[in-house]
Structure formats: C-alpha cells, structure tokens
Amino acid sequence: MTKHSTNWIVTTLIALGSLLILFPLYMAVAIALKNPEEMAISVFSLPTGLHVENFANAIEATDFFTAFGNSFVITVCSVGFILLTNSLVSYAIARNMNNKFFKGLYFYFISAMFIPFQIIMLPIVKLTTNLHMNNMPGLIILYIVYGLAFNIFVYVGYIRTIPIELEEAATVDGASTYGTFWRIIFPLLAPINATIAILSCLSTWNDFMLPLIILGKPESYTLPLVQYVFQGQFSTDFNLAFASYLLALAPMVIVYLIAQKWIINGITQGAVK
C-alpha cells in the first residue's frame, strides 16, 4: 500500500480561503441575531440571545414579500426565456460555423463580453425610457439579451460535441429543422441547460445595477434595491439591515447547494470541443 503525504501548503491555503468565506457569513448571522446593546459591547462576539424579532422587523420595514415576488417573477421569466431563445440561437450558429456570416455573428456576440456595462449604461436608460420599457417586462428583455454573449459561448462549445449524425437521421425520418432541435438536440442539452439556468438565476436574483437604472416605481423594486433603500433609511440599525440581507440571501443559497454539481459538470462538458 502506498501512503499519500499531505500537501500542507495547499491544505493551509484551502483553510485560509475557507475562513475568508466563512468569517463574513458568521458576522452577518451574528449581527442579525444581536440587539444594538450587544453590538455596542462587541461586534465580533456571539449573540447572548437570539433576537429573531429582527427578521420580522426587517420584513415589515422593507415590504419584503412584495420585493421577493418581483425578484421571483423577473428571475423565473428571464431564466425561462434565456433557455428557450439562447439555446436556439446557439444551435443555429454551432451548426453553421463554416458559413462566414454565422462565424462572424458568433464572434460578434462573444465580443460583447469585453464591453463594460458602465459604457452602455446611459444609452440603455435613454433607450428604455423612450420605448417605455423602464418596467419589469423591459428588465426581463434586457436580461435575455445581456445573457446572449456568455450563454452562446458555452452553448456552442457544447452543441459541437453532439454528433451531427443524430440530426441527419432525424432529417431522413422527415423531421424539420425545428423539430430536430426540440425533439433531439434540446433534450440532450439538459446538463448545459441546468448550468445556464443556475448561473442566470444567481446573476439575475442578485443584480443591483440594472434594476436600479431601469425600474422607476418603488412597487416594482427587487430585493437588492430594497436592501439599498433599507440601508439608506436605517443606516444606524445594522441588526435589521443584516437580518434583511440574510432573508434575501437564503433562497439563492438553497438553490446553489441543491444544484452546485450541475454547474461544475455543465461547465466542464461545455468547454470540451
């Protein structure tokens, strides 16, 4: 039997990295469960009592469930349309890469990943206002469009690993191009669809900047915007603020814990040409 020696350098780096991640989470939970008097004594100490009323007060102060509903609707609609549209566009590009037009279209979409959002922020505000799209439906459309660059990059790499013989056999059996995609190709995209769905869900749910510049009415605010408003109104009450942050964080933590293996598997398979 061979003995495996421990790489203490790597182990130490992993331990330090874990502490860097766990310490802010500990601080958030500890502060959310304290009262102002405990905060004044020590920020880093454990709470002497569980002040769960902070969460109820945070829910009332931020109109949490309205913002939660807005975030839920925007996220679900965006992710659903992203999977349906981005996969279809990627399929058309992947199966026509020998065509100069589609190859140029591919690199055109990929180039969008290198454009900072700040450069196009003001034109977006002007355009959405003129088109009366400064609302939740307009925000959903923007999420679908902004996801194209990265999603096409991942989808195309994955689709090109699928044998084209499957499509040729479907064509011989009389299937149309759309029929071939929805009946043959789209079911085979399940691993990469799961990856795109999870990453899009996380980015949409946690996004702050785009809803800030698009959504004009307080009743349509998403959770990140509510946190921003809450912090401005109650800047000295960190206990309620952190309780509110944990409430907004919890759904995505649950989603990620359940589906993290699909993220890794999908990314790995999508990278293989």
Side-chain angles (χ1 to χ4, degrees):
M1 295 178 64
T2 60
K3 294 183 178 180
H4 299 282
S5 59
T6 302
N7 191 328
W8 290 108
I9 296 177
V10 175
T11 303
T12 302
L13 291 175
I14 293 175
L16 291 175
S18 300
L19 288 175
L20 289 174
I21 295 173
L22 292 176
F23 181 71
L25 181 60
Y26 158 76
M27 289 294 297
V29 175
I31 294 174
L33 294 174
K34 291 180 180 180
N35 58 23
E37 290 74 18
E38 291 176 299
M39 284 281 292
I41 297 173
S42 175
V43 178
F44 302 102
S45 63
L46 288 169
T48 57
L50 301 181
H51 296 277
V52 294
E53 68 274 6
N54 289 340
F55 293 91
N57 294 335
I59 290 173
E60 182 180 357
T62 60
D63 195 8
F64 176 83
F65 292 109
T66 298
F68 180 90
N70 294 336
S71 290
F72 181 82
V73 170
I74 291 172
T75 301
V76 171
C77 292
S78 298
V79 171
F81 282 110
I82 283 172
L83 294 180
L84 294 176
T85 59
N86 290 195
S87 60
L88 190 58
V89 173
S90 301
Y91 173 67
I93 293 175
R95 288 302 186 233
N96 294 278
M97 285 296 282
N98 294 329
N99 185 297
K100 291 183 179 180
F101 173 77
F102 284 96
K103 191 171 185 178
L105 192 63
Y106 172 75
F107 287 110
Y108 170 76
F109 281 123
I110 297 303
S111 64
M113 291 193 297
F114 303 98
I115 301 176
F117 175 75
Q118 291 77 6
I119 293 179
I120 59 176
M121 183 169 61
L122 291 180
I124 288 173
V125 174
K126 183 67 174 178
L127 181 62
T128 54
T129 302
N130 291 339
L131 296 177
H132 303 288
M133 293 175 56
N134 50 344
N135 47 36
M136 289 174 58
L139 184 61
I140 292 171
I141 293 174
L142 289 177
Y143 280 131
I144 297 170
V145 174
Y146 285 149
L148 272 172
F150 175 77
N151 295 342
I152 285 177
F153 176 73
V154 178
Y155 268 129
V156 169
Y158 186 85
I159 292 173
R160 296 184 71 181
T161 66
I162 300 176
I164 198 171
E165 288 78 11
L166 294 174
E167 299 162 54
E168 293 174 347
T171 302
V172 171
D173 291 338
S176 63
T177 301
Y178 286 100
T180 300
F181 175 76
W182 293 116
R183 295 179 182 179
I184 306 297
I185 301 301
F186 193 76
L188 294 176
L189 296 178
I192 206 67
N193 277 337
T195 301
I196 296 296
I198 296 164
L199 295 179
S200 299
C201 182
L202 291 173
S203 62
T204 303
W205 184 272
N206 295 320
D207 187 32
F208 170 78
M209 186 59 68
L210 200 56
L212 176 65
I213 66 174
I214 298 300
L215 300 177
K217 298 180 179 179
E219 59 268 22
S220 62
Y221 279 2
T222 58
L223 281 175
L225 290 185
V226 170
Q227 310 308 316
Y228 171 73
V229 174
F230 176 87
Q231 182 68 15
Q233 292 180 342
F234 307 96
S235 58
T236 57
D237 198 337
F238 293 103
N239 306 110
L240 293 188
F242 277 86
S244 183
Y245 299 156
L246 289 178
L247 288 171
L249 176 67
M252 288 301 101
V253 171
I254 296 173
V255 169
Y256 183 79
L257 290 177
I258 294 174
Q260 59 179 326
K261 63 178 181 179
W262 290 329
I263 298 178
I264 299 172
N265 292 338
I267 291 280
T268 303
Q269 296 183 55
V272 177
K273 295 290 183 77

